[in-house]
Amino acid sequence: MASGSAAPPVDHAVLRALFAQQEALRQQVARALHNEIGQAVSAIKMSAHLAGDEDDAAQRREDLAEIVRIADDTVARLRELYSVLRPPQLEALGLQASLRGEAEAWQARWGVPAHIEVALADEDRAAAAIELTAFRSVQDVLLAPTALSRLAITAARIDDCLALRIEHDGEAPDAGLLAQLHARANAYGGELALTRSTAGHVQVDLRLPWRGVPT
């Protein structure tokens, strides 16, 4: 048997943290599908039955309008869930527009202003895997259950690297999320650092090779 280099040691604690983080995301999507989408579909069905049995034309129009409203809200929520699983805007619009969109959606959801400073040229984009890695890192940090009153996201090309910073005044990422962020960065030839600013804000710094890693 040909000899080869020994496999690197496995940190089982880090793996368990990664698996727990992935399972938490699956549970979040499952709860949203069951509690929100399932209830919305049931409401649409009930409203449709009411509209079908309604003899008053004005009331029937109100019932139908309510069905349309619920359907619109459900479609919007499904798009949010889909973007968690696969960001469709990233390929079409690029990282700059996608980060702004993600921050604006977060701002609309929580009512907290987000400061976005992204200086990336649309005509010379980073490798697709690098853009996805950066975008997923932002998503993961923003999905963490921590109350924020300040959020800032900056991104720029520095020394042929994509430099991304997420700064907020909430809790630092837990062990599972931090392990996932580190593993994703390392897998694509990058590095991640967790620090605090002079004001005590959490800073997640990610640096990734602009062109990606050779396949």
Side-chain angles (χ1 to χ4, degrees):
M1 180 181 297
S3 61
S5 59
V10 176
D11 189 331
H12 294 286
V14 170
L15 285 178
R16 285 193 297 270
L18 277 171
F19 295 148
Q21 188 72 21
Q22 292 171 351
E23 188 59 30
L25 177 58
R26 294 188 182 102
Q27 290 177 358
Q28 177 189 3
V29 174
R31 281 195 301 269
L33 289 174
H34 180 271
N35 298 340
E36 300 177 41
I37 307 303
Q39 289 182 10
V41 172
S42 297
I44 290 173
K45 182 179 179 180
M46 182 182 300
S47 297
H49 282 304
L50 291 173
D53 296 336
E54 183 59 61
D55 294 327
D56 183 81
Q59 183 60 51
R60 186 165 56 250
R61 284 195 296 272
E62 289 185 13
D63 292 341
L64 293 173
E66 178 66 7
I67 291 174
V68 172
R69 185 194 66 78
I70 297 173
D72 287 342
D73 290 346
T74 303
V75 169
R77 183 61 175 135
L78 283 171
R79 285 173 176 164
E80 288 181 7
L81 292 173
Y82 178 67
S83 69
V84 170
L85 300 175
R86 179 68 186 177
Q89 73 276 23
L90 186 59
E91 182 176 349
L93 302 178
L95 182 61
Q96 180 162 279
S98 298
L99 287 177
R100 292 187 183 280
E102 189 72 11
E104 288 170 1
W106 183 90
Q107 179 174 309
R109 187 180 307 124
W110 298 107
V112 176
H115 174 72
I116 311 298
E117 186 177 337
V118 183
L120 301 173
D122 292 333
E123 63 274 10
D124 185 18
R125 292 170 53 177
I130 297 303
E131 289 193 339
L132 182 59
T133 299
F135 184 80
R136 286 300 193 198
S137 298
V138 172
Q139 276 192 323
D140 287 345
V141 171
L142 297 187
L143 281 172
T146 180
L148 308 180
S149 61
R150 183 185 187 280
L151 170 67
I153 299 173
T154 59
R157 183 176 182 176
I158 301 175
D159 297 332
D160 213 31
C161 286
L162 173 61
L164 173 73
R165 168 171 287 181
I166 310 161
E167 180 176 332
H168 63 72
D169 61 352
E171 297 293 327
D174 60 23
L177 175 54
L178 193 57
Q180 180 167 314
L181 293 171
H182 272 294
R184 184 185 288 123
N186 294 338
Y188 290 96
E191 55 186 21
L192 182 130
L194 176 65
T195 59
R196 285 193 179 272
S197 69
T198 54
H201 297 157
V202 172
Q203 291 179 329
V204 179
D205 286 298
L206 176 65
R207 287 181 70 90
L208 296 164
W210 189 261
R211 301 299 179 191
V213 293
T215 57

